[in-house]
Amino acid sequence: MGTQNGVIHGPDGSATTPSLVFIAALDRVLALLKNECPDAVERIVAVSGCGQQHGSVYWGSNAASLIAEMNPEVEMREQLQDAFAISNGPIWMDSSSTKWCQRLERDLGGPQAVANLTGSRAYERFSINQVAKLIDTHPNEFKNVSRISLVSSLLTTIFAGRFVGIDESDATGMNALDLKSKIWSADVLKSVGGAAVKNPESTLANLLGPVATPYLPVDNISSYFVERYGFSPKCKVVPFTGDNPSTLAGLGISAAGDLAVSLGTSDTAFAVVAKSACKPSGIEGHVLLNPVDPDTFIAMLCFKNGSLAREQIRDKHANGEWADFNSMLSKTEPGNNGFVGFFHPEPEITPPTSKPEQIHIFDANSDAPVSVASVAPEIQIRAIIEQHALRLKQHTQILGVSKVKRILVSGGASANFEILRVLSNVFGVPVYETVGGSTAAAAYGGILRAQHAMACEAEGGMYVPFQPDIQVRLVVEPDSAAHGVYQAAMERFEKLERVVVAL
Ligand code: ADP
């Protein structure tokens, strides 16, 4: 379908994926399921899962009947090839909608106003800004759009055999849902539709459809899956959600005070926060609705400089070996004798910095950076590890996460005990890992959410607490003396970070 690694990159920063790719992927996965576990399919009680956040899909005028009347003898990709009014939908890598983000922020009173309303300031990849762009750049195709889905609700829709709304939680990654009322914001839709769309509030709200409650089944599975793959006609369909909220569910975290830290290629963190405490930021991070708990929010942070920045320091100073990196780390004390570093080989997003290839290190005596070459390798190694733990604490606090009770880690660098020890000491809380690893946490979240929805349905559609049976193992507990050192260092770290952002 003309993609490279699933994506078509355009010259203007656009990144799209043919919507048919998602359908073809589903054909393939289900064929595998039928071949590998033929006897298990009919015992599946409920289906759910997740799709990559921010990807959007634009159905054409004939889509509803094509989806409802699929022939079980034929693969879906063949039957749905004409189902899309716009065949390539924007995905999370798309950065081409800056102009429309600026318009939304202007119309609503600035980035903080957009964040207060929708959970995040206007971001290029957030779907409503992509919709605004398509309205202006593809007016003829857009006229034929009968419904807008995200990748997640495309899957719910296919399984149910009819259009199903975007689930509340994935909808908070669009800049369009009012966080408090959980309905599409009329002010956002008015700005997005502008003069080009008649009655934009109602027209766009109809195209988006009502949002789905993430913890309740929406329907039985459609006859296509019963006849072609052998699913039970009683199998329920539970709204799919975005991969990030699904990861949170897959790690089994649900209580306020839980902080999930993912140390993969890029570093991310999610925390469950009481609604009253949560503070969306007009500068950084996101607040999402929690798919497994209607009474809390998810505060989410992404950092661009994670494992790759650590690898650069390892390769430069520790022979490219994590074992050497760790033995050099242990030569220095918590607090690094006052040395603080900021390692941004890529422009950082939390906090936003504009200049690439920047490393700044400060010694204990001055608020001006020293020459990096003059700083001993082991100090640089501790500085990059302490920076990540300190910035996690500082920036989760900005979103209102003040009472972290425990940390759950995942991702490649969570194999490194020394990194986890610093994390534990900075926050002053124990660090846990899930037993059996958590590399498939996003997909596993789909299973746990399907189970959860069935538990809620058994109670007549009342919400019941999400309490999956996930085993965790304690990795490290904090050392109180080291925690005290980091508590005392926080204020200076915040001050130096402001210096770096201004450089
Ligand atoms: P992704 O986010 O792409 O799924 P992973 O979660 O597998 O990636 O994480 C990969 C990263 O983990 C690599 O960039 C690597 O530098 C880092 N990593 C692997 N082992 C260690 C270790 N022992 N210490 C620190 N970092 C590590």
Side-chain angles (χ1 to χ4, degrees), residues 121-250:
R121 70 169 166 83
Y123 282 90
E124 279 79 356
R125 64 184 184 280
F126 278 42
S127 314
I128 210 68
N129 306 312
Q130 296 292 340
V131 170
K133 180 190 158 194
L134 287 169
I135 290 171
D136 283 357
T137 58
H138 292 64
N140 293 331
E141 290 98 321
F142 198 83
K143 273 194 199 106
N144 295 327
V145 173
S146 66
R147 183 76 177 223
I148 300 171
S149 294
L150 298 184
V151 178
S152 57
S153 64
L154 160 123
L155 292 165
T156 325
T157 291
I158 294 286
F159 277 112
R162 64 172 178 82
F163 284 133
V164 179
I166 297 164
D167 96 281
E168 287 165 10
S169 185
D170 210 5
T172 38
M174 296 175 75
N175 274 147
L177 196 76
D178 181 331
L179 262 188
K180 294 194 183 88
S181 66
K182 301 185 185 178
I183 53 175
W184 303 115
S185 156
D187 289 343
V188 171
L189 301 187
K190 217 157 108 187
S191 163
V192 167
V197 177
K198 244 198 220 160
N199 304 323
E201 295 101 310
S202 57
T203 307
L204 292 176
N206 285 338
L207 288 181
L208 294 165
V211 287
T213 304
Y215 54 83
L216 291 179
V218 287
D219 217 331
N220 288 4
I221 200 163
S222 94
S223 58
Y224 177 85
F225 298 95
V226 175
E227 289 164 33
R228 186 174 174 89
Y229 295 107
F231 279 87
S232 156
K234 289 191 195 142
C235 174
K236 296 285 179 193
V237 180
V238 174
F240 285 56
T241 190
D243 58 336
N244 287 312
S246 192
T247 297
L248 178 121

Side-chain angles (χ1 to χ4, degrees), residues 263-266 307-308 310-311 314 322 411-413 415-416 419:
L263 300 163
T265 306
S266 55
S307 280
L308 299 183
R310 288 187 285 271
E311 275 175 23
R314 177 201 64 184
W322 289 118
N416 190 320
I419 294 180

Side-chain angles (χ1 to χ4, degrees), residues 234-283:
K234 289 191 195 142
C235 174
K236 296 285 179 193
V237 180
V238 174
F240 285 56
T241 190
D243 58 336
N244 287 312
S246 192
T247 297
L248 178 121
L251 291 170
I253 69 170
S254 59
D258 278 349
L259 174 66
V261 173
S262 165
L263 300 163
T265 306
S266 55
D267 290 342
T268 53
F270 321 96
V272 180
V273 205
K275 284 187 170 173
S276 54
C278 201
K279 295 183 284 188
S281 160
I283 299 170

